[in-house]
Amino acid sequence: MRSRRKRLPALLLGTALVAGVLGFGTMASAADPDAADRAGRGAGVSAAAAAHAGHNMAPSTRASGDDADGDGYIPAVPQVTGVTPSEANPEPRYFHEFQANCSVTHTAPDDPIVFPGQPGKSHDHTFMGNTSTNASSTTDSLYGGGTTCKAPGDASAYWMPSLFKGEKKILPIGPQVIYYKAGVTDYTSVRPFPKGLRFVVGNPMQSAQEFRDHPGWVEGWECGESFKNIDFPSNCPAGSQLNLRMQAPSCWNGLHLDTPDHQSHMAYPLVKAGTNDNVCPASHPVALPMVEFKMAFPADGDMSQVRLASGRGYSFHYDFFNAWEERTLKAMVDHCVVGGLQCDPRGYDQNRPEEGAVLDEEYRLP
């Protein structure tokens, strides 16, 4: 369960399952190089965001579900205003995180964030968590629904471009690790996601260098003794795993659950000048958990035919749509993130058993 936390660079603002081991599985990660748009200072849509269509991702401007007027902006209710980014430096804790372990549910050419209400318009995605996710998913349709996450209170939808070897779809096997952690130095300032928050991490149209320079980059594609790869390794040892980790922005503007480019309402923490401290920018002052995908696909031998539905390995990106039961998410965030613990999906830190667990043996809030 050990996770390595990296220092974020200071340059940002802002269908039936067919599991195979013919080469391995699926992945996640991508980048939007338009820093001004990430900062979300304006309401405009960046060229990079317009390109995120690997889906042919045009900005969403279509009435649907949660966006009745179709302008792409979904306001938070209530909005969170008057927040000043915390520059406090609490007692150092190497860990402040918990896991949400969620298995694959299905695959489909749908994307309820980028192409809401338009089934079949996206490239193929591999979905985890909520079992009902489709092109028409809304906050209400997801909330309280069935889930493959270990905690029944997590009905959130998680998805990424499907992985192929040739024409065969390769799926991750078993529960995938999704971390919720502090992205800011003041881990005690992190608060739960607002219900219905959604965003896209990365850009399927990004270049290899943009993927490498993306603030969410952790260690690239890995298998065997091959590390920090921008694209897929050429060969993976028999019986190994292809792994990828990608971090999401964790600072929120407090105003919108979504924006037309699906990114501008979120930003990565900045490194405070003259320090090593990560703080949220003034434009996005609300510290939320930093989601980190840690995907693992079965890998075996020649990887030359491996690709993502969105393209090369560096086109990796992923989507998150929050549908946690509020009390459960708050309990996990308060105990594990704010409490400075390294928790499993029950909210239990095996290195600090005296702190207890948040959830019972069935992963439910007592």
Side-chain angles (χ1 to χ4, degrees), residues 266-289:
M266 301 296 296
Y268 285 86
L270 303 168
V271 177
K272 181 182 176 183
T275 74
N276 288 320
D277 295 343
N278 292 327
V279 300
C280 284
S283 60
H284 295 71
V286 185
L288 302 178

Side-chain angles (χ1 to χ4, degrees), residues 315-352:
S315 71
F316 184 81
H317 57 289
Y318 65 88
D319 301 58
F320 168 69
F321 195 139
N322 175 46
W324 275 87
E325 191 279 317
E326 295 98 323
R327 295 178 308 115
T328 304
L329 178 58
K330 178 173 172 50
M332 291 290 282
V333 170
D334 288 351
H335 183 71
C336 301
V337 180
V338 175
L341 301 177
Q342 183 188 20
C343 295
D344 65 12
R346 281 191 61 207
Y348 175 76
D349 185 342
Q350 64 180 359
N351 298 309
R352 303 185 67 179

Side-chain angles (χ1 to χ4, degrees), residues 42-343:
V45 176
S46 69
H52 174 289
H55 318 244
N56 276 336
M57 178 173 157
S60 296
T61 53
R62 175 188 177 100
S64 63
D66 295 330
D67 184 17
D69 61 6
D71 69 351
Y73 292 93
I74 301 176
V77 180
Q79 294 186 329
V80 179
T81 60
V83 176
T84 300
S86 175
E87 296 184 1
N89 213 317
E91 175 189 357
R93 292 285 182 87
Y94 190 76
F95 294 105
H96 8 67
E97 64 183 39
F98 67 89
Q99 292 184 18
N101 289 1
C102 306
S103 299
V104 170
T105 57
H106 60 289
T107 65
D110 290 349
D111 190 323
I113 295 179
V114 178
F115 293 114
Q118 301 173 76
K121 191 166 184 180
S122 169
H123 57 233
D124 199 76
H125 284 113
T126 292
F127 293 89
M128 299 172 289
N130 197 293
T131 57
S132 71
T133 313
N134 61 34
S136 299
S137 292
T138 64
T139 302
D140 288 344
S141 74
L142 294 173
Y143 189 78
T147 181
T148 60
C149 298
K150 285 191 174 181
D154 184 10
S156 301
Y158 308 88
W159 65 97
M160 58 193 170
S162 294
L163 183 72
F164 290 82
K165 184 172 186 180
E167 296 305 310
K168 184 176 180 62
K169 194 175 301 180
I170 309 297
L171 301 175
I173 295 177
Q176 298 298 292
V177 178
I178 300 169
Y179 288 107
Y180 283 61
K181 56 178 64 179
V184 292
T185 297
D186 183 9
Y187 55 88
T188 67
S189 69
V190 176
R191 63 181 73 191
F193 290 118
K195 182 179 178 181
L197 182 75
R198 68 210 72 180
F199 52 77
V200 177
V201 182
N203 186 339
M205 304 302 289
Q206 68 204 349
S207 67
Q209 190 59 49
E210 286 168 343
F211 176 52
R212 176 62 186 85
D213 293 340
H214 191 273
W217 163 282
V218 180
E219 293 170 348
W221 294 101
E222 303 178 340
C223 71
E225 297 301 315
S226 182
F227 305 101
K228 300 184 182 300
N229 296 290
I230 296 173
D231 206 345
F232 301 120
S234 60
N235 190 280
C236 288
S240 64
Q241 289 185 337
L242 177 69
N243 298 311
L244 179 68
R245 295 168 58 183
M246 186 89 177
Q247 295 178 337
S250 60
C251 298
W252 178 44
N253 69 5
L255 305 178
H256 303 103
L257 301 177
D258 197 10
T259 43
D261 66 359
H262 318 297
Q263 295 181 331
S264 294
H265 54 308
M266 301 296 296
Y268 285 86
L270 303 168
V271 177
K272 181 182 176 183
T275 74
N276 288 320
D277 295 343
N278 292 327
V279 300
C280 284
S283 60
H284 295 71
V286 185
L288 302 178
M290 174 173 278
V291 170
E292 178 182 316
F293 270 33
K294 184 180 180 183
M295 303 292 103
F297 309 91
D300 194 346
D302 178 29
M303 302 286 284
S304 63
Q305 298 301 307
V306 173
R307 61 182 174 86
L308 291 172
S310 54
R312 301 283 292 273
Y314 48 80
S315 71
F316 184 81
H317 57 289
Y318 65 88
D319 301 58
F320 168 69
F321 195 139
N322 175 46
W324 275 87
E325 191 279 317
E326 295 98 323
R327 295 178 308 115
T328 304
L329 178 58
K330 178 173 172 50
M332 291 290 282
V333 170
D334 288 351
H335 183 71
C336 301
V337 180
V338 175
L341 301 177
Q342 183 188 20
C343 295

